Amino acid sequence: MPGPRLTGLGTGLFAAAAMLLASGLALAAGSSVLVYGLLFLPVSVLTALWVRPADLFAAPVAVPIAFAVGLAPLAESESGLAGHAVGVVTALAVHAGWLYAGTAVAVALVMARKVRMVRRRAAASARGKGRPPG
């Protein structure tokens, strides 16, 4: 697969930065969580495709964390830290559909990549067994 090969940490940083950018675009569109959710889906896809094979399972973990990080600027809240935390938790609960959809996409892509890797490894191993030594 062409494209960047992100480590587990790089995957999390990429997804969080992309979702912060998405929240900025959503704020520019009038604080639209619809825009934010729609931008979350391609970020989930890219995160799952760009993670390196050794860190495949970091993508489904990083994606929901990035969703929450990016949602923080969009959350309606009372004044103070506690009020803002309540606003973020409420926004996560109200917009859980986007969170589940993006996470499911990342999980599906990671699992497909893992199955493909296992099949390739098994095929290579089967080819290697048929050869005479030397």
Side-chain angles (χ1 to χ4, degrees):
M1 254 184 265
R5 288 289 173 241
L6 301 171
T7 63
L9 178 61
T11 299
L13 292 174
F14 163 74
M19 291 316 299
L20 282 172
L21 179 64
S23 68
L25 294 172
L27 283 171
S31 190
S32 171
V33 178
L34 174 65
V35 171
Y36 181 75
L38 288 173
L39 291 172
F40 177 60
L41 297 177
V43 169
S44 298
V45 169
L46 291 175
T47 301
L49 292 178
W50 286 351
V51 65
R52 68 184 185 163
D55 295 323
L56 271 180
F57 294 108
V61 173
V63 167
I65 294 169
F67 185 86
V69 167
L71 193 60
L74 292 174
E76 297 177 13
S77 64
E78 303 288 325
S79 62
L81 183 62
H84 191 68
V86 169
V88 170
V89 171
T90 302
L92 283 169
V94 170
H95 305 294
W98 290 112
L99 179 61
Y100 293 148
T103 305
V105 165
V107 167
L109 288 171
V110 162
M111 294 304 292
R113 286 183 61 194
K114 184 67 176 177
V115 166
R116 187 175 174 197
M117 283 174 30
V118 168
R119 286 185 179 164
R120 279 186 181 172
R121 207 173 288 150
S125 175
R127 280 189 307 246
K129 289 181 182 177
R131 293 184 182 170

